[in-house]
Amino acid sequence: MHLDLAIDPVELTAVLVDVPSVSGNEAILADAVHDALAAQAKHLELARSGNTVLARTNLRRPARVVFAGHLDTVPVNDNLPHHRTGTGADLVLHGCGTVDMKSGDAVLLTLAAAVRDPTHDVTFVFYDCEEVEAARNGLGRIERELPEWLRGDLAVVCEPSNAVIEAGCQGTMRVEVRTSGRRAHTARAWMGENAIHAMGTALRTLADYRPRRVDIDGCQYREGLQAVGIRGGVAGNVVPDACVLTVNHRFAPDRSIEQAEAHLRDVFDGYDVTVVDRAPAALPGLAAPLAQQLITATGATPVAKLGWTDVARFAALGIPAVNFGPGDPTLAHTKAEHVAAAQITACAAVLRRFISS
Amino acid sequence: MHLDLAIDPVELTAVLVDVPSVSGNEAILADAVHDALAAQAKHLELARSGNTVLARTNLRRPARVVFAGHLDTVPVNDNLPHHRTGTGADLVLHGCGTVDMKSGDAVLLTLAAAVRDPTHDVTFVFYDCEEVEAARNGLGRIERELPEWLRGDLAVVCEPSNAVIEAGCQGTMRVEVRTSGRRAHTARAWMGENAIHAMGTALRTLADYRPRRVDIDGCQYREGLQAVGIRGGVAGNVVPDACVLTVNHRFAPDRSIEQAEAHLRDVFDGYDVTVVDRAPAALPGLAAPLAQQLITATGATPVAKLGWTDVARFAALGIPAVNFGPGDPTLAHTKAEHVAAAQITACAAVLRRFISS
């Protein structure tokens, strides 16, 4: 299929949305992106890895900006093809991927084709499998196989952020807190030891926990410590010998993974604690000169990113990274996903200003 | 098949054990019991209801004793036919039903055939479906359809009790304690309300709970309040909006079901409490003259029954009821179920003494 990168990014969003690309099935869209860049952005060096398409300038500018957008979406939920409501300045595009994140991809693709003489060198990464387990993530594969393509002085991940810079991201860690006991018939409960009862103190600790609020580079990160699951029990007349509480901790970027784990072991002192999932936080990195330029281009004050995104990968590589893209992140993954055309237009204008001035 | 009720109750136990009679499949055994009583205990009035066989004297004695034993077993667990270890006074019978409760049935069947001129009128109830849901219980069916067959001044349920009188039984009640909250993404936990955290106080209440010990008729009943299950959780990154704790309460026979429920609502004040299962306790009733005679016949001090048995049905009818039978109740429902022949012999001797003197 053919993509015209010269059209308005709002219209290009609609075209991209109507090419289904659920994680693992990005080939048609990746081919189209590759072919469009090859034909319509001849000033860019192109590369391909699986269903990830990479493009960059080599202008020996003093600094390089890496722009990243994933091509995949969560499963379609009876919300394709796209439809429209409103007109003109009130136009809204509805459908799977309008927010997360084909509107961001459209902004990047038009930018890639249109700005042939940017003031910074630019790299574009359109990657696959962001919406599934981390091991399949296309950006992770590029990091392993083509690491030089991720080098730069600022990374802009165009995940939905309501067209405001969302800086850094919180880390996330999931732990299992376990208690053990001894089974017995409930008619002779004193012969057993109840593992569910033993979880009471841990739950009270959670209820009483006061999460930190951490200010970094003017962004406030609100931490969190939440039970997300609990299970235990053998039968209706048996004192249970095991209980498992799953807890999700979101931590501010002033803490490493190791520090976050140490904190959880301290909070649940006396319990058996196992880390089952973890991803590092990313510092906002807004002090970087390029980040300051991007802030100026937006004309707005950055806010903290609360969820976890691939900016953390760039931060782990030592590259300041921000989220900046059209769409309300709380609509991502919902059937009612929709984006205001005005946000797409605004993002495109900001990024064009950023790399042209 | 033919049952000889004149043989030693130990040998009759072995014969009964080798006729499989898992709940719902008691027909062959019930037929054999019926035919044996008809042919070998002509002094008894016989009745049949489904796979329940009833037999009684009508001698106009001043008092009547009701003896009850269920014919069914839990599913066979690779433990049939029976096998033997030891000899003489150390003989042990192994196999499904040796404890629960074909040894008790054998004691009752030999008693029914042998004692033709008892000092009390006697009623024997051999019933089906005790090991399954209460609605199918054969004794419950007799209660509804042939209630006059359950009338008496003392009921002896020959459930395994190590050949000691276990008096009355505790009541049991299962409740679900629920909390509710509001879902939110864990990265924005302050927008939600965690239902698992809210369960902490209930668990601490359980951990701190001091169950009563209640003495009635010289028997001590130890109550219990135990969490037997807990569940909650939506996904690894979602503040959960519901948590359900299941609690089993065992209560002494000085409390009615209504009083036990009121107590639980008091203990879990502020929580949503639903009763999901309940069965009343039974007072030991040892002050009854016939109970005193049985105690004398055993020559031992009665103890409290802690589990729930069908004695509660008799107690609910106003009939003092005790458990008295061969076998260790903690072996019931296990693959390793086995009974000492000496306990069978002892029980048979006690009951013969009881209704002959």
Side-chain angles (χ1 to χ4, degrees):
Chain A
M1 69 167 296
H2 173 74
L3 297 178
D4 181 353
L5 305 185
I7 62 174
D8 186 279
V10 174
E11 293 309 315
L12 184 56
T13 298
V15 172
L16 296 178
V17 165
D18 286 348
V19 184
S21 58
V22 177
S23 310
N25 294 283
E26 302 93 337
I28 291 171
L29 185 57
D31 287 347
V33 166
H34 180 271
D35 295 350
L37 288 170
Q40 301 167 54
K42 294 185 195 293
H43 62 295
L44 299 176
E45 177 192 359
L46 261 183
R48 173 101 184 229
S49 159
N51 287 327
T52 292
V53 180
L54 305 115
R56 65 181 170 191
T57 59
N58 292 298
L59 301 169
R60 300 178 180 268
R61 298 286 194 256
R64 176 178 293 277
V65 183
V66 181
F67 294 97
H70 61 82
L71 295 175
D72 61 319
T73 69
V74 294
V76 179
N77 189 4
D78 202 18
N79 52 359
L80 279 190
H82 83 282
H83 73 276
R84 301 169 185 233
T85 54
T87 54
D90 296 324
L91 175 64
V92 175
L93 301 184
H94 303 255
C96 181
T98 48
V99 166
D100 191 10
M101 56 174 284
K102 291 184 174 175
S103 51
D105 293 329
V107 167
L108 294 183
L109 283 168
T110 54
L111 195 70
V115 183
R116 304 201 166 217
D117 188 33
T119 48
H120 315 297
D121 266 311
V122 292
T123 303
F124 296 93
V125 183
F126 299 98
Y127 63 105
D128 59 319
C129 288
E130 192 269 349
E131 298 290 8
V132 287
E133 62 270 28
R136 292 172 64 192
N137 186 298
L139 200 58
R141 192 175 66 248
I142 299 305
E143 194 180 331
R144 292 188 300 275
E145 297 177 2
L146 300 168
E148 72 282 4
W149 277 86
L150 299 189
R151 283 196 203 118
D153 303 286
L154 177 71
V156 179
V157 178
C158 292
E159 288 273 3
S161 69
N162 274 317
V164 171
I165 292 178
E166 292 189 343
C169 77
Q170 305 223 74
T172 181
M173 178 169 290
R174 211 155 56 229
V175 297
E176 287 184 348
V177 178
R178 285 166 192 277
T179 54
S180 58
R182 199 168 56 249
R183 290 189 193 187
H185 195 291
T186 51
R188 296 177 185 82
W190 59 90
M191 299 177 71
E193 192 187 332
N194 196 307
I196 295 176
H197 296 188
M199 201 56 90
T201 302
L203 294 189
R204 288 286 296 273
T205 297
L206 284 170
D208 293 342
Y209 186 83
R210 292 285 160 264
R212 297 188 309 153
R213 296 184 184 204
V214 181
D215 283 294
I216 305 173
D217 290 356
C219 298
Q220 186 181 73
Y221 294 88
R222 293 181 68 167
E223 295 192 329
L225 187 65
Q226 294 287 321
V228 293
I230 190 166
R231 60 183 196 274
V234 176
N237 60 355
V238 176
V239 176
D241 59 350
C243 185
V244 183
L245 173 71
T246 307
V247 178
N248 183 208
H249 181 39
R250 300 283 173 148
F251 54 98
D254 65 332
R255 280 196 175 153
S256 67
I257 278 194
E258 292 71 25
Q259 288 169 325
E261 181 178 340
H263 175 62
L264 292 190
R265 293 193 181 280
D266 190 47
V267 167
F268 295 111
D269 188 33
Y271 286 92
D272 174 14
V273 175
T274 312
V275 176
V276 292
D277 189 28
R278 58 188 199 167
L283 283 164
L286 296 179
L290 274 181
Q292 288 295 319
Q293 285 185 33
L294 179 60
I295 293 169
T296 302
T298 65
T301 306
V303 298
K305 180 75 181 180
L306 297 173
W308 193 91
T309 77
D310 274 325
V311 297
R313 293 182 187 274
F314 289 102
L317 296 171
I319 305 172
V322 299
N323 295 281
F324 178 72
D328 178 349
T330 66
L331 293 175
H333 304 193
T334 70
K335 186 172 179 175
E337 192 176 347
H338 61 269
V339 65
Q343 285 201 0
I344 302 174
T345 304
C347 282
V350 165
L351 293 185
R352 188 179 286 221
R353 204 152 53 229
F354 172 50
I355 65 167
S356 307
S357 55
Chain B
M1 66 168 296
H2 174 73
L3 297 177
D4 181 353
L5 304 185
I7 64 175
D8 186 280
V10 173
E11 293 308 316
L12 184 56
T13 297
V15 172
L16 296 179
V17 165
D18 287 347
V19 183
S21 57
V22 177
S23 310
N25 294 283
E26 302 94 336
I28 292 171
L29 184 57
D31 287 347
V33 166
H34 180 272
D35 295 350
L37 288 171
Q40 302 167 54
K42 295 184 194 294
H43 62 293
L44 298 176
E45 176 191 359
L46 262 182
R48 173 101 184 229
S49 160
N51 287 326
T52 292
V53 180
L54 305 115
R56 66 182 171 192
T57 59
N58 293 298
L59 302 168
R60 300 179 180 267
R61 299 285 192 256
R64 176 177 292 275
V65 183
V66 182
F67 294 98
H70 61 82
L71 295 174
D72 61 322
T73 69
V74 294
V76 179
N77 188 6
D78 200 20
N79 53 358
L80 279 191
H82 84 282
H83 73 276
R84 298 167 188 237
T85 56
T87 54
D90 296 324
L91 175 64
V92 174
L93 300 183
H94 303 254
C96 181
T98 49
V99 167
D100 191 10
M101 55 175 283
K102 291 182 174 176
S103 51
D105 293 329
V107 167
L108 294 183
L109 283 168
T110 54
L111 194 71
V115 183
R116 305 198 168 224
D117 189 32
T119 48
H120 315 295
D121 266 310
V122 292
T123 304
F124 296 92
V125 183
F126 299 98
Y127 62 106
D128 58 319
C129 289
E130 192 269 350
E131 298 290 8
V132 288
E133 62 271 27
R136 293 172 63 192
N137 187 298
L139 199 58
R141 191 176 65 249
I142 300 305
E143 195 182 331
R144 291 188 299 274
E145 296 176 4
L146 301 167
E148 73 282 5
W149 278 85
L150 300 190
R151 281 195 205 118
D153 302 286
L154 177 71
V156 180
V157 178
C158 292
E159 288 275 1
S161 68
N162 274 316
V164 171
I165 293 179
E166 292 189 342
C169 77
Q170 304 224 77
T172 181
M173 178 169 291
R174 210 154 58 230
V175 297
E176 287 183 348
V177 178
R178 287 167 191 274
T179 53
S180 58
R182 199 168 56 249
R183 290 190 193 185
H185 196 290
T186 51
R188 296 178 186 81
W190 60 89
M191 298 176 73
E193 193 186 332
N194 196 308
I196 295 177
H197 296 189
M199 202 56 92
T201 301
L203 294 190
R204 288 286 296 274
T205 298
L206 284 169
D208 294 341
Y209 187 83
R210 294 285 160 265
R212 297 188 309 152
R213 296 182 184 207
V214 181
D215 283 295
I216 305 174
D217 288 357
C219 299
Q220 186 181 71
Y221 295 88
R222 293 180 69 169
E223 296 192 329
L225 187 64
Q226 294 286 320
V228 293
I230 189 167
R231 61 183 195 274
V234 176
N237 60 355
V238 176
V239 176
D241 59 348
C243 185
V244 183
L245 173 71
T246 307
V247 177
N248 184 207
H249 181 38
R250 301 282 174 150
F251 55 97
D254 65 333
R255 282 198 174 153
S256 67
I257 278 195
E258 292 70 24
Q259 288 168 326
E261 179 177 340
H263 175 62
L264 292 189
R265 292 192 181 280
D266 190 45
V267 167
F268 296 111
D269 188 32
Y271 286 92
D272 174 15
V273 175
T274 311
V275 176
V276 293
D277 190 27
R278 57 188 200 168
L283 282 163
L286 296 179
L290 276 181
Q292 289 294 319
Q293 285 185 33
L294 179 59
I295 293 169
T296 302
T298 65
T301 306
V303 298
K305 180 74 180 178
L306 296 172
W308 193 92
T309 77
D310 274 327
V311 298
R313 292 181 188 274
F314 289 103
L317 295 172
I319 305 171
V322 299
N323 296 281
F324 179 73
D328 178 349
T330 67
L331 292 175
H333 303 193
T334 70
K335 185 172 180 173
E337 191 174 347
H338 61 269
V339 65
Q343 284 201 0
I344 302 173
T345 304
C347 281
V350 165
L351 293 185
R352 188 180 285 222
R353 201 150 59 228
F354 172 51
I355 66 168
S356 307
S357 58

